[in-house]
Amino acid sequence: MADIATESTVAKRLREMLNEEKWTRATLGAYSISNLKELDALFHEASGLKVLDEVRDVCDEHLGHSKNSIIALYLSGVIALARQQIDDSNMVSLINIFVDNKKWQIVEFICERILEFGENRYALQKLAECYQSEDRDNDMYTVWERLIRIDYEEADIVKFLAEKAEKDGRTDDAREYYRKALHRYIGKGLFTNVKEIWNKLLEYCPDDIDFFLHVQRKIAKQISEDKAAGLLFDLYKHYKSIESWDIAIDILKVVISYDEKNPLPRKEIVECYRGKFAGHSNLEEYIRVSNLSQSYRSLSEAIGEFEKHIAFDVGNFVYHRTWNIGRIADIRSDEITVDFAKNRGHVMGLKMAIDSLITLSRDHIWVLKAVWSKEKLHDKVVSDHAWVLKTVIKSFDNCADLKKIKAELVPSILTDREWTGWSSKARKVLKEDPLFGNAKDDINSFIVRDRTLSFDEKTYNHFKAETNFFARVSCMRDFMEKGDPDSDYFAEMLAFFTGFTRMTSQINEYVVSAYLLLKEIATKYPHLKANLSISLQFGDIFNDIDDVVAIYDGIRDTELRRYFLQHIRNFVPEWPDVYARILPYSLSQAMLEILAANGHIEKLKAMVLSIVENYRDHREAFVWVVKNLWGEVWVKELGLSYEKIVITMLHILDISFKEIENHRDTTENRKINKQIHNLLFKENALTDFLAGSDHDTIERVYMLLTDIKDLDPAIKIQMKKYVIDRFPDFKFSGEEEKTVVSRGLIVTTEKYSEKQKLLQEIMEVDVPANQREIAFALSLGDLRENAEYKAAREKQDELNTKVGKLKNEIERAQIFDKSTISTSKVTFGTMVTLKNELIDTEERYTILGPWESDPANNIISYLSPLGKKLINHKVGERVAFVIHERKFQYSVLKIEAAQL
């Protein structure tokens, strides 16, 4: 109980009012709107004096023993509304008291007061009842329109609004209301209502086939397939009546998938095929051989066989894996004649043709490649992205991804370079053009639609095709930016996220992200707050998080991460400690500045020390500290040795190379490797450090550098040259003159670069081209006799062998430092003049490596049989040896440095 002696004057006055209400037992009839306005004045006075908490406590205490106190219910309820609290039970109780007593004017006042703070489902419902009781129909309809925007389950009122719009002649509004009502009745499982509105929409928009097909899938899933099939049959009748055979057949196929044994669809689909292929020369024969009209044959199988046969008609194009594109010239009895480019008049049995030929439409991309000139097709592809996308996608059962599209265009029409720019524009067309959509179960595949989709429908379909939670978040944001938040598409997308906020038994990144997204939506669309079911407070959610760093890392959306950090700061008392834990993973300059601005420098110091000491676990954070914080005064106060920092960077570089080689977290390690590489060698951190170091430090750092196996040998040579140029008398401990490294082979810089470019060309040009050849060969089917596939696989094996050999050689290569050439004896990089004592002639050889070897020009490898015998000999020495049973005897006349 509050301490009455220290209460504010407002609280004391409130107690007096409550006591008067209690002891006089004021009747409801005595209450008026003026009384409630007086309570509002008290509320505003308390708010101005910042004593609302006192007022609320007094009201709550009073309600404990006088639950129907009008004063306490009203003031407590208004305070809760002003603070945007979820609990509106006091206001609901208050409204019910006055509704039960038919005090409609007061009910209206209270409802309007509630709605001043935002849309409220219960207040709108009761306000509509007020207007209805007073025969204020127009006001009632206006409130209903507001109500259905926040109550996605309300169906009857939506239907009433549809009927009102219909009566008023507002056809477009009526259609939209009926659509909303249909979705909501499906959700409630009320098939009688569903059927009524389905038939109503058949009158209004029978041609909106995508809408009806979308809705029937919901009916099949949430009510029953039988019910969906019955409604589809009504839709089918419309398309049959206007002889839209393709759509009529598609509808029947869906009906058949639900109930194949029903004899009626069999009869109807035969009639549709007769309508569609009325001019086909072999129509009746194909109906007969496929047993399409025979009840003993599986209807699905019969349809498949019929459609395979019917595609064969005079003038149609076909594809053969050996003879490529051809055109059917004649069909007689069981024989078919096809004109191929290199095999005109080819005759084959109809059964063999059906098994070995693929029928193609006239606008199939393969046909266009065959009949159009390359220049014409190239110009069309470059100038009309939408046309070529539609052409390629429709060529492959109206479903293709960008990989497939590229395989059809590169290199036959576009070059790899042209594809780069072309594909960027193509992606934009696929995203924005309403004629394109995503395949139902594959976000990366696209389809072409027969009619344009609204932005809402297109985004919704994209959302449904996505399987990644955060990709769906992105779709939701697109919808929020350009779509209609009052649509049923938005409601279905919203339901996906609200479902996560109910999964509070184990808080994970999806629960947190859904909660944050719903709060974001509530901020943008305040009228939806009542429908978002955000019952939890962030503090409660945070208290149930086991690992805040894992949650942060799991939130794969920049805006939600920012919102998460903002909520931590606003609602978590120990937020500085939480920020310090997250910062090594977020690497956020904004978080760092917030901690510093709030005086938490010691926490930042402790964080930096932890990162430096545990750099193996915080490699990316370590790089971030060195790049962004090393110059900060508070970091310098830690007294960290820069030598230790440099040595640690070299160690991280070595670790990342090894993990890349072992295919462990390759992407992350490549990123860290590149950052360290840039810091040390491009931003000159290493040379700047060495410039001010003593002999022992330089030697220690240089040895660490040379021990990094996969570091570019050119960098090692460059660093050695830097040390020698700066300190000419510097001696590298333990390094003796070498002719051959212990592993690998010595190469010149020029040859090393040449081999790297060759590997790059194979990986970026030859391998992708071979992959396209394999993909094309696979599309031909029947790999057993597929010559194209076998040839492509042989080429793949050849490329793999070449790549493996090149990679191994490049890995083993050690770039030769020209500055180390010594003419004291025969070594790599020298030119030696010999006297052949067996025939008394002079011979001159340049000693290089296997990559540079050119025996015709007397350039030999130090690994060749002759090279091995000459290595390490000095001027004046004689050497005799036998190679392949042939005797050699030389004396060394002169050793010079070769021109490299």
Side-chain angles (χ1 to χ4, degrees):
M1 181 179 291
D3 187 348
I4 297 176
T6 60
E7 277 184 347
S8 65
T9 56
V10 173
K12 289 177 180 178
R13 197 160 76 250
L14 173 59
R15 283 190 183 278
E16 292 172 2
M17 294 170 63
L18 291 170
N19 288 331
E20 181 181 353
E21 177 191 51
K22 178 179 178 181
W23 294 115
T24 60
R25 299 191 180 276
T27 62
L28 286 172
Y31 275 98
S32 66
I33 292 174
S34 297
N35 298 130
L36 297 181
K37 287 183 177 179
E38 289 174 5
L39 295 177
D40 279 332
L42 185 69
F43 163 78
H44 290 302
E45 183 182 354
S47 179
L49 295 172
K50 301 188 182 332
V51 293
L52 283 178
D53 286 341
E54 271 191 68
V55 170
R56 182 202 58 206
D57 291 343
V58 171
C59 289
D60 290 347
E61 177 189 328
H62 188 74
L63 288 170
H65 51 77
S66 300
K67 65 178 182 180
N68 289 333
S69 168
I70 304 301
I71 296 172
L73 287 171
Y74 186 81
L75 283 174
S76 179
V78 171
I79 291 171
L81 289 169
R83 292 179 171 176
Q84 299 291 303
Q85 293 174 354
I86 301 298
D87 185 8
D88 60 357
S89 57
N90 286 340
M91 280 305 214
V92 169
S93 298
L94 187 63
I95 290 174
N96 287 336
I97 289 171
F98 286 107
V99 167
D100 292 342
N101 288 272
K102 311 296 183 187
K103 300 283 288 184
W104 295 114
Q105 286 186 328
I106 294 181
V107 171
E108 180 181 351
F109 177 84
I110 296 172
C111 289
E112 293 286 8
R113 188 77 175 94
I114 293 171
L115 295 170
E116 289 176 15
F117 296 96
E119 298 291 64
N120 180 286
R121 183 188 297 113
Y122 191 78
L124 287 170
Q125 288 171 344
K126 293 307 172 182
L127 186 59
E129 285 184 29
C130 287
Y131 294 148
Q132 188 175 28
S133 69
E134 298 169 359
D135 296 325
R136 294 163 59 183
D137 289 349
N138 288 337
D139 290 335
M140 179 185 70
Y141 285 123
T142 301
V143 172
W144 276 356
E145 287 171 358
R146 292 168 64 184
L147 176 60
I148 66 170
R149 291 178 67 197
I150 66 168
D151 187 351
Y152 291 138
E153 295 182 0
E154 177 55 62
D156 291 335
I157 290 177
V158 181
K159 181 187 173 190
F160 292 149
L161 289 170
E163 291 168 346
K164 175 72 165 55
E166 189 175 30
K167 181 179 177 181
D168 295 343
R170 293 181 287 116
T171 306
D172 289 345
D173 290 341
R175 180 173 61 247
E176 291 308 310
Y177 282 131
Y178 277 127
R179 286 186 176 191
K180 284 183 187 290
L182 181 58
H183 280 291
R184 296 181 185 195
Y185 280 129
I186 293 170
K188 290 175 176 291
L190 300 175
F191 180 71
T192 301
N193 302 80
V194 168
K195 182 176 177 62
E196 178 188 353
I197 296 179
W198 175 282
N199 291 329
K200 179 67 73 172
L201 286 169
L202 278 180
E203 297 174 18
Y204 275 114
C205 50
D207 296 328
D208 195 351
I209 184 64
D210 287 326
F211 168 77
F212 284 108
L213 291 178
H214 167 67
V215 166
Q216 69 82 22
R217 284 193 290 270
K218 289 182 66 177
I219 294 169
K221 183 178 180 180
Q222 295 181 231
I223 300 178
S224 78
E225 292 183 350
D226 289 345
K227 303 293 187 186
L231 295 177
L232 280 172
F233 212 80
D234 293 336
L235 180 66
Y236 157 75
K237 291 173 184 175
H238 164 75
Y239 285 97
K240 180 184 178 184
S241 68
I242 62 173
E243 298 185 354
S244 181
W245 302 119
D246 285 331
I247 296 179
I249 290 168
D250 286 342
I251 294 170
L252 284 175
K253 286 180 179 178
V254 178
V255 173
I256 291 165
S257 72
Y258 292 149
D259 185 9
E260 186 170 352
K261 294 181 180 179
N262 188 334
L264 187 55
R266 182 185 292 271
K267 173 178 173 295
E268 293 294 332
I269 204 163
V270 171
E271 289 186 25
C272 287
Y273 281 137
R274 285 191 171 120
K276 178 179 179 179
F277 300 108
H280 196 289
S281 58
N282 287 321
L283 172 62
E284 294 303 324
E285 175 63 14
Y286 291 159
I287 290 176
R288 184 189 66 79
V289 299
S290 64
N291 295 311
L292 190 61
S293 58
Q294 304 302 315
S295 60
Y296 60 81
R297 178 75 190 275
S298 163
L299 185 51
S300 298
E301 293 177 5
I303 289 171
E305 187 167 337
F306 171 81
E307 291 187 345
K308 199 170 183 180
H309 278 76
I310 202 69
F312 287 86
D313 199 12
V314 175
N316 287 358
F317 288 93
V318 294
Y319 172 83
H320 188 276
R321 64 173 177 260
T322 301
W323 299 311
N324 210 338
I325 305 299
R327 196 170 188 181
I328 299 173
D330 189 27
I331 299 178
R332 293 186 182 180
S333 185
D334 288 335
E335 286 190 340
I336 182 171
T337 304
V338 183
D339 288 332
F340 294 102
K342 296 182 180 180
N343 189 9
R344 302 185 67 82
H346 180 76
V347 179
M348 58 198 312
L350 182 58
K351 187 177 185 309
M352 178 179 288
I354 290 172
D355 291 338
S356 62
L357 300 179
I358 300 172
T359 56
L360 307 175
S361 64
R362 294 173 185 272
D363 57 356
H364 194 289
I365 187 64
W366 294 353
V367 173
L368 296 178
K369 286 180 182 179
V371 300
W372 284 22
S373 68
K374 185 173 181 178
E375 292 75 18
K376 178 182 177 180
L377 194 52
H378 177 272
D379 292 345
K380 183 67 174 174
V381 169
V382 170
S383 63
D384 194 340
H385 288 72
W387 173 85
V388 73
L389 288 169
K390 187 188 301 183
T391 299
V392 176
I393 292 169
K394 283 197 163 187
S395 295
F396 301 97
D397 295 326
N398 197 29
C399 185
D401 57 15
L402 278 171
K403 186 177 180 182
K404 179 64 178 174
I405 294 168
K406 181 179 181 181
E408 292 303 322
L409 302 182
V410 180
S412 58
I413 302 172
L414 299 175
T415 64
D416 274 301
R417 179 170 295 183
E418 286 176 316
W419 166 260
T420 302
W422 188 93
S423 62
S424 297
K425 294 179 181 177
R427 286 185 175 90
K428 186 176 181 182
V429 171
L430 289 168
K431 181 178 181 180
E432 298 178 358
D433 193 322
L435 276 176
F436 297 99
N438 296 98
K440 182 180 177 183
D441 299 318
D442 183 2
I443 190 61
N444 297 313
S445 294
F446 301 92
I447 61 173
V448 180
R449 300 192 174 276
D450 294 325
R451 70 171 187 90
T452 59
L453 285 181
S454 68
F455 174 84
D456 288 10
E457 290 175 280
K458 187 177 178 70
T459 308
Y460 171 79
N461 289 339
H462 188 171
F463 181 89
K464 295 295 284 185
E466 278 287 4
T467 55
N468 180 277
F469 179 93
F470 293 102
R472 287 191 165 191
V473 169
S474 179
C475 288
M476 191 64 157
R477 286 217 179 88
D478 287 344
F479 202 107
M480 289 165 62
E481 183 179 347
K482 300 177 183 177
D484 177 11
D486 299 324
S487 72
D488 285 284
Y489 293 115
F490 189 75
E492 288 193 39
M493 294 164 69
L494 204 58
F496 171 79
F497 295 108
T498 55
F500 279 93
T501 61
R502 300 187 189 99
M503 300 163 54
T504 55
S505 58
Q506 183 176 3
I507 302 298
N508 58 29
E509 63 269 30
Y510 304 119
V511 173
V512 173
S513 297
Y515 172 86
L516 295 172
L517 180 64
L518 292 176
K519 289 198 69 175
E520 182 182 331
I521 293 169
T523 302
K524 187 174 179 66
Y525 304 114
H527 70 277
L528 292 178
K529 284 183 180 178
N531 206 54
L532 294 178
S533 303
I534 309 176
S535 57
L536 290 175
Q537 298 298 317
F538 182 79
D540 297 328
I541 292 177
F542 188 84
N543 290 336
D544 289 334
I545 291 176
D546 294 327
D547 185 345
V548 68
V549 171
I551 295 291
Y552 175 86
D553 189 55
I555 299 175
R556 302 295 180 175
D557 181 90
T558 303
E559 279 301 303
L560 290 180
R561 278 187 171 182
R562 183 185 63 78
Y563 212 25
F564 181 55
L565 294 174
Q566 182 182 335
H567 273 63
I568 289 173
R569 189 179 175 199
N570 291 341
F571 300 107
V572 178
E574 65 276 13
W575 69 267
D577 295 322
V578 179
Y579 266 40
R581 285 164 57 196
I582 294 176
L583 190 50
Y585 303 89
S586 69
L587 308 181
S588 164
Q589 190 67 27
M591 289 178 69
L592 185 143
E593 290 171 0
I594 289 170
L595 284 169
N598 284 271
H600 298 292
I601 295 297
E602 291 305 316
K603 291 187 185 298
L604 291 174
K605 287 182 176 180
M607 178 198 73
V608 169
L609 286 174
S610 176
I611 288 171
V612 172
E613 292 301 321
N614 301 285
Y615 67 89
R616 286 176 174 272
D617 298 324
H618 297 295
R619 282 176 269 175
E620 190 174 1
F622 181 90
V623 177
W624 182 74
V625 166
V626 175
K627 285 186 67 175
N628 299 283
L629 305 183
W630 192 253
E632 297 288 338
V633 173
W634 57 270
V635 174
K636 291 180 179 178
E637 290 173 356
L638 294 171
L640 294 170
S641 161
Y642 196 64
E643 179 184 347
K644 180 179 180 180
I645 298 299
V646 170
I647 289 172
T648 300
M649 284 195 283
L650 290 171
H651 193 198
I652 292 174
L653 192 67
D654 191 29
I655 292 171
S656 62
F657 272 127
K658 290 174 180 176
E659 296 203 344
I660 291 169
E661 184 179 12
N662 293 327
H663 306 289
R664 186 182 303 144
D665 299 326
T666 305
T667 302
E668 181 183 347
N669 277 294
R670 285 188 190 281
K671 177 183 174 182
I672 293 169
N673 186 283
K674 184 176 181 180
Q675 289 175 338
I676 292 282
H677 188 281
N678 289 341
L679 262 174
L680 288 172
F681 308 118
K682 290 190 176 180
E683 298 176 23
N684 300 318
L686 184 56
T687 52
D688 289 348
F689 170 71
L690 294 178
S693 300
D694 59 25
H695 181 284
D696 290 343
T697 301
I698 292 173
E699 183 175 19
R700 188 161 53 250
V701 171
Y702 179 75
M703 293 307 294
L704 284 172
L705 182 77
T706 55
D707 284 342
I708 301 175
K709 177 173 70 74
D710 293 307
L711 183 64
D712 188 344
I715 290 177
K716 296 180 181 179
I717 292 172
Q718 180 185 356
M719 294 310 300
K720 182 177 181 182
K721 185 175 185 301
Y722 170 82
V723 174
I724 292 173
D725 287 346
R726 192 164 183 82
F727 308 102
D729 298 329
F730 194 94
K731 298 298 181 183
F732 294 95
S733 169
E735 186 173 279
E736 301 173 354
E737 187 178 356
K738 301 174 183 177
T739 58
V740 183
V741 290
S742 60
R743 67 174 198 92
L745 51 118
I746 308 174
V747 301
T748 60
T749 303
E750 292 76 10
K751 276 295 179 183
Y752 185 80
S753 298
E754 184 182 313
K755 293 289 186 178
Q756 283 186 315
K757 288 177 181 177
L758 176 59
L759 178 61
Q760 183 179 6
E761 182 178 359
I762 293 173
M763 296 300 294
E764 295 181 2
V765 179
D766 296 348
V767 170
N770 176 248
Q771 289 172 342
R772 288 193 295 272
E773 291 171 358
I774 291 175
F776 174 76
L778 286 170
S779 70
L780 307 182
D782 193 4
L783 302 183
R784 290 170 299 178
E785 299 180 8
N786 192 327
E788 291 89 345
Y789 178 74
K790 291 178 180 177
R793 285 305 302 267
E794 288 173 4
K795 179 71 174 294
Q796 184 183 55
D797 292 340
E798 178 186 329
L799 287 172
N800 287 341
T801 301
K802 188 181 292 187
V803 166
K805 182 180 178 183
L806 267 175
K807 283 183 174 179
N808 182 54
E809 289 181 345
I810 290 172
E811 182 183 346
R812 292 170 53 224
Q814 296 289 307
I815 296 178
F816 180 69
D817 183 357
K818 299 178 185 178
S819 66
T820 63
I821 294 177
S822 171
T823 57
S824 62
K825 56 185 176 182
V826 179
T827 62
F828 186 101
T830 59
M831 183 169 62
V832 58
T833 302
L834 305 171
K835 179 180 180 181
N836 188 330
E837 296 184 346
L838 296 178
I839 56 176
D840 196 25
T841 59
E842 286 189 6
E843 298 175 14
R844 181 176 294 174
Y845 297 100
T846 298
I847 311 298
L848 294 175
W851 287 357
E852 298 83 7
S853 177
D854 183 7
N857 291 306
N858 283 2
I859 300 173
I860 64 173
S861 168
Y862 69 91
L863 296 176
S864 66
L866 179 57
K868 289 178 179 179
K869 298 297 183 181
L870 297 176
I871 283 292
N872 290 332
H873 285 282
K874 300 178 180 179
V875 172
E877 290 185 350
R878 298 179 67 192
V879 54
F881 49 87
V882 175
I883 299 176
H884 301 312
E885 300 181 356
R886 177 185 170 189
K887 293 182 179 180
F888 294 85
Q889 187 171 321
Y890 292 111
S891 58
V892 180
L893 299 179
K894 184 167 60 171
I895 301 173
E896 305 169 80
Q899 297 299 312
L900 301 179

